[in-house]
Amino acid sequence: MTPEEFQTNVSILDTVEALGGGYAWDAEIFAVILMEVSVEDDDARMLCGLTGVQQIALDASRLSMTALAALAGIPGLQSLVLSRRTLTEDERRELEREGLEVLRVDE
């Protein structure tokens, strides 16, 4: 990771915390958690600037499929955990097209 990518990550993670979310970022895992926050599309899209993130878990009740697809396109993202969102089979297939695991959790 370049110094610029590191600084971008720090800036985005500061915003995640300001929204009421959290994260785990160490040598083993890099995950962003916004499960208790109803994020809007713009909030979700800023996560697309992260480098090295492996998992994003969020309340997807207010997110469009466009925003979810943008998240699914983050390089290296392994899983997307969604709460408060039902996906059709076509939507799930669209998000999982690059091998991403999409999980839905109930409240």
Side-chain angles (χ1 to χ4, degrees), residues 4-5 8-9 12 44-53 74:
E4 292 81 17
E5 291 169 332
T8 297
N9 279 2
I12 292 169
R45 282 193 192 101
M46 64 120 181
L47 300 174
C48 295
L50 291 170
T51 299
V53 67
I74 296 173

Side-chain angles (χ1 to χ4, degrees), residues 5-23:
E5 291 169 332
F6 178 84
Q7 203 57 342
T8 297
N9 279 2
V10 168
S11 176
I12 292 169
L13 295 174
D14 286 346
T15 302
V16 166
E17 287 185 321
L19 290 170
Y23 62 91

Side-chain angles (χ1 to χ4, degrees), residues 44-66:
R45 282 193 192 101
M46 64 120 181
L47 300 174
C48 295
L50 291 170
T51 299
V53 67
Q54 298 162 303
Q55 182 181 69
I56 296 175
L58 46 71
D59 175 336
S61 61
R62 296 182 179 202
L63 297 181
S64 67
M65 265 309 291
T66 303

Side-chain angles (χ1 to χ4, degrees), residues 40-42 44-45 48 62-73 80 85 87 91 94-95 97:
E40 303 285 338
D41 283 1
D42 289 341
R45 282 193 192 101
C48 295
R62 296 182 179 202
L63 297 181
S64 67
M65 265 309 291
T66 303
L68 291 173
L71 290 174
L80 185 59
R85 176 65 185 240
L87 298 172
E91 289 172 333
E94 179 184 342
L95 295 176
R97 71 184 177 278

Side-chain angles (χ1 to χ4, degrees), residues 21 77 92:
L77 187 67
R92 180 179 292 280

